[in-house]
Amino acid sequence: MTSDPHTAPGPETDPASGEPVHCWNLDDFEALDFDPFLYDRLRDKRAARIQLPYGQGSAWLMARYADVKAATTDPRFSRQELVGRTITASSPHAIASQQASMNYADPPRLNDMRRVVARAFTGKSMQKLRPTVQRTADSLLDGMERHGSPADLVEHLHGPFPLAAVADLLGMPQDMRRNMTSWANVIMTPGPAPDKSTDALKTVRECSVALLAMRREKQSDDLAGVLAAAADAGEITDPEAISIATAILVSGAHAVRNNSANMIFALLTHPEHLERLRKEPELIPQAVDELLRFIPHRSGVGLPRIATRDVDIAGVTVKAGETVYSSYLAANRDPEVFPNPDTLDFDRGPIAHMAFGNGPHHCVGSMLARMESEIIVTTLLDRYPRLALAVPREQIEWQAGALIRGPKTLPVSW
């Protein structure tokens, strides 16, 4: 395939649907540039047929907000039906385990697992965790100051901070946390090194097994303790508990690392927005939500689903057995829902963005991710009145081939 999704020479039409197929290579884009392929899909106002870089066949792509919402909540579209199938995909192998996985479950079994996990993600538990997470941020920035200005914010804050927060949530001892950030990054960048990604996932899974075993010997109210107790009570299985702990570790360490770095880059390159938050810090929670909507935080698309029967949606008929992808990025830029969607606007008020997904598979860790982002923005603005990029924005290097977009380094001065 070529690197240009507009000119890639795939099959002229899909034999099942008769629709033209767009070969979409999920190219890396500079900084926070939005994929023009998704803009085209929004303008089409109907589902498109796509072929991704890996796997076989083609799939439907939903882009408009209403269509994404429908596809991610309609029970006729199944995650469970993906198990054991080969479909067109953005990765050469499944990132999450397909066995005993919340990621590949449908209601009602999915609801059972989510109810267990939700016990560790209550408002009360987040309030209890927040002082610990704040101390971690303060300590990491103390270390950055000892290093001196300029310094790499990814190295000193965005890399270690999310891992520490999710490890604290799980109750993971310090000696288990070594290299966890680098393992998560390898797992979530599978294209260039699929073997290394598989090995890293195995290592993290082994850590989850050991952690749950520890919690059976010494009970606690952290997430690992909740999962171990639920497995012992028969609410979930041991493989499900291990899979949930592994998924939360990987996504929690990697996604917030990149999303929070993207947020600070966005603020440093939108100085008027940065100054407004300095003057109106009470806006920070609202600003974090708008940043989540605005930032194209991943490459390509999220979770695919399989139609279990024929479904009329987005101007097409999706046949039973066909694959459907939904673009949360495109939904977050739908002008019918978000006026002037390409503008970063802290006055939108409460917004129902889809940065954390939608429907039964909405991210269980969204409350923690929001808290981490608010702490990062608030703490950086409080401590560094003159925080600025230490190099021209064009010189910042961005991750290549990653499922989650973000800067490899973020040099700042203060």
Side-chain angles (χ1 to χ4, degrees):
M1 296 181 186
T2 72
S3 61
D4 184 349
H6 295 282
T7 60
E12 291 186 5
T13 59
D14 177 76
S17 66
E19 293 281 335
V21 176
H22 305 269
C23 294
W24 189 19
N25 275 334
L26 311 180
D27 294 334
D28 296 317
F29 290 91
E30 287 299 316
L32 303 182
D33 291 349
F34 199 77
D35 190 338
F37 178 80
L38 292 177
Y39 279 130
D40 290 345
R41 304 289 71 76
L42 282 170
R43 284 191 288 267
D44 284 350
K45 294 186 180 294
R46 68 194 301 267
R49 200 77 180 175
I50 59 169
Q51 180 181 352
L52 296 171
Y54 301 98
Q56 298 174 0
S58 58
W60 290 105
L61 172 66
M62 304 295 156
R64 294 192 308 157
Y65 188 98
D67 298 330
V68 170
K69 185 175 182 179
T72 53
T73 54
D74 191 324
R76 293 174 293 180
F77 295 112
S78 167
R79 288 287 294 159
Q80 176 67 37
E81 290 295 319
L82 284 154
V83 175
R85 291 191 185 222
T86 300
I87 63 169
T88 187
S90 55
S91 166
H93 61 271
I95 300 299
S97 169
Q98 291 192 350
Q99 304 300 321
S101 171
M102 189 162 65
N103 206 17
Y104 285 90
D106 293 328
R109 187 56 186 156
L110 172 63
N111 300 339
D112 296 338
M113 288 187 270
R114 288 182 68 92
R115 272 194 293 271
V116 170
V117 176
R119 294 171 193 164
F121 283 103
T122 64
K124 184 177 180 180
S125 65
M126 292 299 102
Q127 289 178 354
K128 181 179 178 181
L129 185 62
R130 189 170 191 128
T132 301
V133 177
Q134 180 67 64
R135 285 193 294 272
T136 298
D138 292 336
S139 176
L140 290 169
L141 291 174
D142 289 344
M144 187 176 80
E145 289 177 15
R146 288 191 294 271
H147 173 279
S149 178
D152 177 13
L153 210 52
V154 170
E155 175 187 350
H156 291 280
L157 181 64
H158 297 295
F161 176 73
L163 170 62
V166 76
D168 287 338
L169 177 79
L170 277 158
M172 176 175 282
Q174 291 293 333
D175 60 348
M176 273 192 180
R177 305 183 187 193
R178 298 191 188 101
N179 299 320
M180 192 66 70
T181 299
S182 61
W183 290 331
N185 292 342
V186 170
I187 292 166
M188 297 300 287
T189 313
D195 291 340
K196 290 183 179 179
S197 177
T198 302
D199 291 345
L201 185 58
K202 180 181 177 182
T203 301
V204 176
R205 183 178 176 83
E206 289 170 352
C207 288
S208 297
V209 171
L211 179 59
L212 293 175
M214 289 174 56
R215 283 295 167 262
R216 286 193 165 95
E217 294 178 3
K218 183 179 179 181
Q219 294 183 351
S220 71
D221 60 357
D222 51 42
L223 178 55
V226 167
L227 293 174
D232 289 345
E235 295 179 86
I236 58 176
T237 66
D238 279 348
E240 286 170 346
I242 294 164
S243 177
I244 291 168
T246 302
I248 288 175
L249 260 175
V250 172
S251 60
H254 186 77
V256 178
R257 169 195 187 274
N258 290 290
N259 287 347
S260 64
N262 286 332
M263 284 184 188
I264 299 306
F265 174 83
L267 288 174
L268 293 177
T269 54
H270 290 76
E272 68 284 1
H273 292 74
L274 182 65
E275 287 309 308
R276 183 176 181 194
L277 292 186
R278 291 192 190 281
K279 295 175 182 177
E280 302 176 62
E282 68 276 7
L283 273 180
I284 288 177
Q286 187 169 307
V288 164
D289 257 350
E290 170 64 357
L291 286 161
L292 285 165
R293 180 204 69 82
F294 174 79
I295 291 167
H297 62 280
R298 65 174 298 125
S299 298
V301 285
L303 304 179
R305 292 167 174 81
I306 301 294
T308 57
R309 64 185 78 172
D310 292 0
V311 181
D312 292 328
I313 183 173
V316 301
T317 298
V318 178
K319 299 291 186 181
E322 291 186 327
T323 304
V324 172
Y325 280 95
S326 297
S327 174
Y328 298 127
L329 299 188
N332 283 343
R333 295 289 183 104
D334 188 337
E336 294 185 9
V337 179
F338 305 105
N340 300 313
D342 300 327
T343 300
L344 184 63
D345 182 2
F346 292 162
D347 291 317
R348 290 187 192 275
I351 53 174
H353 65 71
M354 294 189 182
F356 293 114
N358 185 67
H361 283 276
H362 182 273
C363 176
V364 294
S366 61
M367 192 180 298
L368 176 63
R370 278 191 175 93
M371 182 183 77
E372 293 174 71
S373 298
E374 290 174 16
I375 286 174
I376 286 174
V377 173
T378 301
T379 307
L380 287 174
L381 266 59
D382 283 347
R383 289 182 66 145
Y384 307 112
R386 292 185 290 182
L387 187 70
L389 291 177
V391 298
R393 58 185 294 174
E394 297 79 14
Q395 293 183 16
I396 292 176
E397 186 179 2
W398 294 77
Q399 293 192 79
L403 299 180
I404 306 294
R405 290 174 62 179
K408 291 182 73 172
T409 61
L410 191 60
V412 295
S413 60
W414 60 91

